[in-house]
Amino acid sequence: FFFNATATTEIYTSLFVGSVRCVQETVSTQSTWEISMLAMMSRVVWKSCWLCSRRIGNYDKKAMEKLAKPEHVGKLDPKAEDVGTGMVGSPACGDVFKVQIKVNADGVIEKAVFKTFGCVGAIASSSYATEVLHGKKLEDAVKIKNQDISNHLKLPPVKMHCSLLAEQAIRAAINDYKSKQGKTKGKKTEDIKEAAERVRKNLEEKVEEIKLQAIYLLLCYHSREKK
């Protein structure tokens, strides 16, 4: 689900080496047109590899470590009442962040996971954000800012939007969790009201039944007195 730039660089390099070997092996047996096509393919693959390596080179070691070994990748049940899900994206850069949190009865985030589609900065920001969320109370988690994430990872200025999306995903997950709790409380209140109404009706029926029994006993008593 998430893009691994290091693996992509290795793929590009392998393709480049393979295409060069292919050109070398077919120079004496293939037509000029086929050789030209293979050579052009080699140039395109190598250019892609070069661009990818240049982009990776702009990142700090901390960001690259998060890319190589991202932590807390996974998913939780989005329908669970103790789980909040936040998904945000940027159409401009194509990054999509999904952050999920699991909150215990004390309001502490006991688990946070993510899935991200995007560049090195996107994956590193998501991984670090979920790492910071673990063990935090909701009121502390909502205070996490994109500057905290970008400063820790030392993201390039052009990748500041990645840390901003991570912050937005955190807030979206917290808001989703809180909205579920509001619905749950509302439902519990309605259940209590319904139960109270049922008890009231039962009591009224019992009172009417007791009244009828009392009237019957009085009538029986008066009839005996007359005899």
Side-chain angles (χ1 to χ4, degrees), residues 64-90:
M64 293 306 300
E65 287 176 353
K66 293 296 182 186
L67 174 69
K69 295 181 179 179
E71 300 178 59
H72 313 301
V73 178
K75 64 178 181 178
L76 302 172
D77 182 6
K79 296 181 181 179
E81 292 183 357
D82 59 347
V83 172
T85 303
M87 181 175 285
V88 298
S90 172

Side-chain angles (χ1 to χ4, degrees), residues 30 41 87 90 120 133 215:
Q30 301 297 321
M41 182 183 70
M87 181 175 285
S90 172
V120 179
L133 284 172
I215 293 170

